[in-house]
Amino acid sequence: RRARRSPDARAMARRGGWRRYAAVALAGLGLCLGGYVPPTKYLIISNAANGTIGYAQLPRGVGGGEAVEVRTLIDTDLRHPQGIAVDQKRQLLLVADSDLRKVVSYGLTVHEDGSLGVDDQSPVAEDVETRWVAVDGLGNVYMTDEQRGQILRISARQMLDGETTAAPVFA
């Protein structure tokens, strides 16, 4: 049985589809409406070919072969998003875009219907040709700079202060 595509998924198929994944992040985000609700798992996918990021809400429990719907999460302001990471504690989506030469963040929101939303784009690190991004438990953000052959870091404190100049941790 073939799954029906949402309007977002049909639009993605017309623009080149999700067939060329640059990065994938798995996020377990919780939504609390007056009691404990187990976190919902999402697969967040970047499509560098058309500058978009999408997501799929993964089914609960153990199963296999169930079709999941891919929805568009971000379809503006990115050019070539290759690396993505999710800071679950701070509910941030981090995106490394090599064409923009920066790493940006978006606040993640889980709506009552289970869909994901993002707020405005905020710069994390600028003037870096990066294709990879990661975040540790303290909120420090790590990225590569291919032209300089370095691994760079923006500390959690720098993130709070809005400072976007990354320091090398390995060169």
Side-chain angles (χ1 to χ4, degrees):
R1 195 169 138 190
R2 191 171 173 170
R4 299 180 95 180
R5 288 185 175 178
S6 70
D8 284 343
R10 286 192 296 271
M12 287 307 305
R14 284 192 302 274
R15 288 188 279 177
W18 293 101
R19 66 181 177 271
R20 293 174 63 187
Y21 306 141
V24 176
L26 185 62
L29 301 172
L31 170 67
C32 186
L33 299 172
Y36 174 73
V37 176
T40 301
K41 298 219 183 272
Y42 297 92
L43 183 68
I44 300 175
I45 309 157
S46 76
N47 185 333
N50 66 11
T52 59
I53 296 187
Y55 73 96
Q57 185 175 344
L58 301 177
R60 292 190 192 273
V62 178
E66 291 127 16
V68 294
E69 177 184 356
V70 175
R71 297 179 181 178
T72 301
L73 184 61
I74 302 168
D75 62 1
T76 60
D77 300 326
L78 295 173
R79 290 190 201 154
H80 202 74
Q82 290 184 296
I84 56 176
V86 174
D87 184 343
Q88 290 179 304
K89 184 176 180 181
R90 292 156 199 84
Q91 302 229 336
L92 288 175
L93 174 64
L94 300 157
V95 180
D97 191 314
S98 58
D99 282 3
L100 292 177
R101 295 188 46 80
K102 59 181 156 179
V103 174
V104 296
S105 70
Y106 297 88
L108 283 169
T109 304
V110 180
H111 299 289
E112 286 188 32
D113 65 356
S115 64
L116 284 183
V118 293
D119 61 14
D120 292 334
Q121 182 186 98
S122 298
V124 173
E126 297 180 303
D127 195 31
V128 290
E129 187 174 324
T130 185
R131 300 176 199 288
W132 174 88
V133 64
V135 62
D136 66 17
L138 299 174
N140 300 310
V141 178
Y142 298 87
M143 69 221 65
T144 56
D145 188 326
E146 289 188 7
Q147 283 188 326
R148 297 180 190 123
Q150 297 177 327
I151 297 175
L152 305 171
R153 177 179 79 136
I154 293 281
S155 70
R157 171 58 53 199
Q158 286 176 286
M159 287 267 298
L160 288 173
D161 294 342
E163 188 179 325
T164 60
T165 303
V169 291
F170 181 80

